[in-house]
Amino acid sequence: MGQKLRSEIPTNETWDLSSLYENNDAFYSTLTDLVQRVTDFNEKYLNQLKDVSTIESALHEQADLIIDVIHLSTYAELLYSTDTTDADSQKVAAQFSTTYGKIAGLLSFLESEILQLEEETFNALIKQSEYPKYLSLLKRQKPHTLHPEVEKTLATFSPTFSAPFELYGITKMLDIEFGTFEANNEEIALDYVSFEGDFEVHSNTEVRRNAFKKFSEALRRYENTTAATYNAHVQKEKIESELRGYDSVIDFLLEPQDVTREMYDRQIDVISEELAPHMSRYAKLLKRTNNLDEIRFEDLRIPLDPTYEPDVSIEGSKEYIKDALSVLGDDYMQMVNDSYDKRWIDFPQNKGKQTGAYCASPYGVNPFIFISWTSKMTEVFVLAHELGHAGHFNLANKYQNVYQADCSMYFVEAPSTMNEMLMANSLLKKSNDPKFKRWVISSIISRTYYHNMVTHLLEAKYQREVYRKVDEGEALTAPLLNEIKKKVISDFWGDEVEITDGAELTWMRQPHYYMGLYPYTYSAGLTIGTVMSQRIENEGQPAVDDWLNVLKSGGSKSPVELAELAGIDVTTDKPLKETIAYIGSLIDELETLTDEIE
């Protein structure tokens, strides 16, 4: 049976976007109005930003314009992501995309003029401003800033620059047809959502492996188009990094994250070296408990105990979430309850809905959570994760202005992965039954740690290799990308895992590559999240208070300062090594429990 159409889905399972705009007409009229307001703003302040008080009022007025841009872009994205086949949603997304370039071009003068200030005036501005962190980060870009007219041109072209990402999504969600595959003498329909939601973790080996084979064959037909699309994206980044005078694309992409190259490399290198042996032991366990002839790449996501996977309804998930997150206090739980009761979450799987899960937190409006509910317990971890983003930005948006609400990408996954750890700790207290305990711990390994520290680590390592090639002047082709990806996977798993044909195509599945140096930040966030959840477990309320202060700080501090507020020093490898040792101890426990059960 294929996926339901969006129109067949019960409304109460979908999100309600009316806190953004009542309908598409309201969206279009706001967009038209905004272009006029931005034009007026440009005329009022262009070439006038000479003194601190004029700049402050311009920044203040621009804040309202930025908030509208955020609301418009969020609405367009949310509408489109739940049904990419819908013509009206396509039109809304396209209209925003084309108009955005004009808006960005008209607003670009503000930063350009601030960047031309004399050192003394700039320092005085930072000292007096409501937006010191934003301005300090801006000041750091000074050596890499181009002539204001060039900056305006680049800003106006920005929709064209994001075209590769859009093309990638269109190929992935609209063009690739997967057809059916055969397993256990039946024909089974296949698409992106069912593969990533069901078949990839299916406990029947024939179903899982045949689905992977069919999925890979379909991807392979599009590998050249997808490689050319990705190449267009990274070459654009390379050109801009050179124009701005950076030594490498990696330095250019790390700049806005406010972290050092050493912090970036450390996450990738230490995990590659020290986590791999633990994960090889986990792969051996999977092979043993699932009675497999060999463990292949496409077997790595299966449950450790295929006979024990509690089903959870959407209603039932509330209880688990409440038990796990109520430690964070009444205000936080109010946000969690509202997410369910006020339809801030989009649950269903439907035809044309994008894959994965995310949380959008537009400034001044409630958060929105995107998920594809499979009724498996793993979805409760996903939901706890996305509610972590929601809780974070709910507080950051409340306590910070729009310029300083968004934190660095390096830190952004800490609140979400911390919630997954709270979920795990909460479940472990529920029962001493060895099968239940083993299921909980294996869920932590297969969901939280595998996803954030293996899947995303292998993406990060692949991505770093890609940018090294680009820095050396190479163009990316499908054979080259396949080769890089295969080597990264093989190096990590060694001889323990059979790297099946098709594994090398995994790079085709991930939109993160179009979002800068995003993949490595998952492990950085989870490192902070792990240490923080242990502090909460051991210290209780004082640790919770520290954490809530961190969440309220939004982007007003650097990632190093945010971690420091949480009592964690990320300038050293200590938290990372502690986290890896903790994963090792969980796998020790899985081995012991498995011996006991068998």
Side-chain angles (χ1 to χ4, degrees):
M1 198 180 87
Q3 297 275 343
K4 283 184 174 180
L5 297 173
R6 184 74 179 173
S7 55
E8 298 167 338
I9 299 290
T11 308
N12 63 330
E13 289 180 14
T14 64
W15 53 27
D16 173 13
L17 300 184
S18 63
S19 58
L20 283 166
Y21 300 103
E22 261 316 311
N23 50 36
N24 293 356
D25 290 343
F27 165 87
Y28 286 123
S29 81
T30 307
L31 187 61
T32 309
D33 179 50
L34 180 63
V35 174
Q36 187 54 54
R37 284 165 53 218
V38 168
T39 308
D40 296 344
F41 174 81
N42 178 287
E43 285 167 8
K44 179 175 175 183
Y45 285 108
L46 183 66
N47 299 323
Q48 302 303 313
L49 304 180
K50 305 287 188 277
D51 61 276
V52 170
S53 66
T54 312
I55 295 170
E56 269 294 274
S57 30
L59 284 168
H60 202 64
E61 280 183 43
Q62 184 185 245
D64 291 336
L65 302 173
I66 289 172
I67 291 167
D68 268 345
V69 170
I70 293 168
H71 291 181
L72 289 160
S73 73
T74 305
Y75 181 81
E77 184 194 344
L78 299 184
L79 198 65
Y80 180 68
S81 66
T82 51
D83 189 0
T84 54
T85 63
D86 181 70
D88 289 338
S89 305
Q90 289 172 5
K91 191 178 158 199
V92 163
Q95 188 66 48
F96 176 77
S97 178
T98 49
T99 312
Y100 176 73
K102 188 175 184 181
I103 292 168
L106 286 166
L107 292 177
S108 70
F109 78 93
L110 185 67
E111 290 193 349
S112 290
E113 289 190 29
I114 293 173
L115 283 163
Q116 289 174 311
L117 294 172
E118 294 299 325
E119 184 81 5
E120 206 177 309
T121 317
F122 209 142
N123 290 339
L125 174 64
I126 292 172
K127 209 168 170 184
Q128 292 174 39
S129 176
E130 281 178 57
Y131 319 113
K133 182 63 182 171
Y134 159 72
L135 289 165
S136 304
L137 285 173
L138 184 63
K139 191 178 176 205
R140 280 195 4 210
Q141 291 174 24
K142 205 173 164 81
H144 302 288
T145 302
L146 305 168
H147 186 281
E149 281 305 314
V150 179
E151 292 290 356
K152 181 181 178 181
T153 306
L154 287 175
T156 309
F157 264 111
S158 54
T160 317
F161 295 149
S162 61
F165 181 40
E166 287 166 25
L167 289 174
Y168 164 77
I170 288 166
T171 305
K172 176 176 169 176
M173 295 312 300
L174 296 178
D175 283 352
I176 301 182
E177 287 289 339
F178 293 96
T180 60
F181 67 97
E182 198 178 308
N184 304 329
N185 300 318
E186 82 175 291
E187 283 291 319
I188 304 169
L190 183 67
D191 59 29
Y192 239 111
V193 177
S194 63
F195 178 75
E196 294 195 344
D198 297 320
F199 300 126
E200 190 175 28
V201 294
H202 207 288
S203 51
N204 182 295
T205 302
E206 190 180 334
V207 170
R208 183 177 65 255
R209 289 179 177 177
N210 290 4
F212 178 77
K213 188 169 185 289
K214 183 72 181 185
F215 184 78
S216 302
E217 284 166 4
L219 285 186
R220 200 177 295 285
R221 289 198 295 273
Y222 291 84
E223 65 179 350
N224 297 309
T225 305
T226 309
T229 303
Y230 181 41
N231 185 53
H233 173 75
V234 294
Q235 298 302 342
K236 173 217 59 159
E237 290 174 321
K238 174 63 179 163
I239 291 165
E240 188 173 347
S241 73
E242 285 185 338
L243 279 176
R244 295 190 180 283
Y246 286 91
D247 292 337
S248 85
V249 189
I250 291 175
D251 293 336
F252 164 60
L253 294 172
L254 274 181
E255 176 85 51
Q257 292 187 14
D258 201 10
V259 294
T260 62
R261 179 70 180 264
E262 185 196 356
M263 287 164 74
Y264 166 71
D265 285 326
R266 182 199 304 137
Q267 286 303 123
I268 297 173
D269 295 333
V270 174
I271 297 174
S272 298
E273 203 160 302
E274 298 190 14
L275 182 62
H278 293 309
M279 293 312 295
S280 288
R281 287 193 295 137
Y282 176 68
K284 260 189 198 146
L285 258 185
L286 281 180
K287 181 180 168 183
R288 171 179 157 192
T289 58
N290 284 275
N291 300 316
L292 296 173
D293 48 339
E294 57 177 358
I295 184 107
R296 299 184 189 173
F297 177 77
E298 64 269 38
D299 299 327
L300 288 166
R301 296 288 311 283
I302 55 177
L304 194 63
D305 183 351
T307 64
Y308 197 103
E309 168 75 78
D311 276 350
V312 184
S313 65
I314 291 172
E315 197 50 44
S317 70
K318 281 186 193 175
E319 218 36 56
Y320 287 108
I321 296 274
K322 196 173 115 189
D323 287 352
L325 303 187
S326 53
V327 65
L328 296 172
D330 294 344
D331 289 351
Y332 197 97
M333 283 316 295
Q334 186 60 54
M335 181 280 304
V336 171
N337 291 331
D338 286 347
S339 300
Y340 281 97
D341 302 342
K342 297 184 175 176
R343 290 178 48 215
W344 297 351
I345 308 172
D346 199 79
F347 288 101
Q349 294 190 35
N350 58 259
K351 199 168 170 56
K353 186 171 177 174
Q354 288 175 346
T355 60
Y358 67 79
C359 172
S361 301
Y363 194 86
V365 182
N366 56 276
F368 296 91
I369 291 171
F370 176 100
I371 190 170
S372 291
W373 193 258
T374 57
S375 300
K376 291 191 177 73
M377 188 65 198
T378 48
E379 295 301 336
V380 181
F381 280 91
V382 180
L383 195 47
H385 177 106
E386 299 308 337
L387 283 164
H389 288 306
H392 179 197
F393 288 111
N394 206 40
L395 286 169
N397 291 347
K398 189 173 169 183
Y399 286 92
Q400 301 297 331
N401 59 63
V402 71
Y403 293 102
Q404 298 186 166
D406 273 358
C407 69
S408 158
M409 206 186 253
Y410 182 90
F411 190 83
V412 83
E413 293 299 336
S416 50
T417 49
M418 213 284 288
N419 275 14
E420 292 191 50
M421 296 315 300
L422 291 180
M423 174 59 65
N425 293 343
S426 155
L427 287 171
L428 280 172
K429 291 181 195 135
K430 281 196 186 304
S431 161
N432 274 326
D433 169 33
K435 279 203 132 184
F436 181 80
K437 275 190 86 157
R438 180 173 75 167
W439 170 76
V440 174
I441 295 168
S442 66
S443 294
I444 305 167
I445 297 292
S446 66
R447 214 332 295 161
T448 302
Y449 285 112
Y450 189 99
H451 185 68
N452 297 301
M453 286 185 102
V454 179
T455 302
H456 291 316
L457 164 85
L458 297 177
E459 288 167 3
K461 204 169 177 186
Y462 158 84
Q463 194 181 34
R464 185 171 68 174
E465 213 37 59
V466 164
Y467 285 124
R468 280 178 179 161
K469 300 271 189 212
V470 170
D471 275 335
E472 287 160 11
E474 284 197 49
L476 307 176
T477 59
L480 177 63
L481 294 173
N482 290 342
E483 184 191 317
I484 296 171
K485 191 67 185 177
K486 187 165 188 174
K487 184 174 184 329
V488 164
I489 297 170
S490 309
D491 286 352
F492 186 84
W493 290 108
D495 299 333
E496 207 52 62
V497 175
E498 176 64 34
I499 308 301
T500 330
D501 270 356
E504 74 283 4
L505 299 171
T506 311
W507 64 269
M508 292 179 65
R509 293 167 54 184
Q510 188 48 272
H512 288 159
Y513 302 133
Y514 296 84
M515 302 173 187
L517 296 174
Y518 189 14
Y520 91 100
T521 65
Y522 280 86
S523 65
L526 184 51
T527 301
I528 296 166
T530 300
V531 178
M532 193 64 219
S533 66
Q534 288 169 347
R535 271 199 66 199
I536 289 175
E537 190 75 0
N538 298 328
E539 299 168 38
Q541 199 55 48
V544 170
D545 293 341
D546 282 353
W547 188 239
L548 293 174
N549 279 332
V550 171
L551 301 184
K552 288 172 186 173
S553 301
S556 65
K557 291 178 165 48
S558 73
V560 170
E561 291 166 331
L562 289 170
E564 206 177 302
L565 267 185
I568 302 162
D569 181 3
V570 292
T571 62
T572 72
D573 61 7
K574 186 171 171 274
L576 181 55
K577 285 181 180 269
E578 279 175 12
T579 299
I580 293 171
Y582 174 66
I583 298 171
S585 73
L586 290 176
I587 293 170
D588 293 343
E589 210 171 330
L590 286 180
E591 289 172 335
T592 309
L593 286 166
T594 301
D595 290 341
E596 191 186 321
I597 290 161
E598 288 182 359

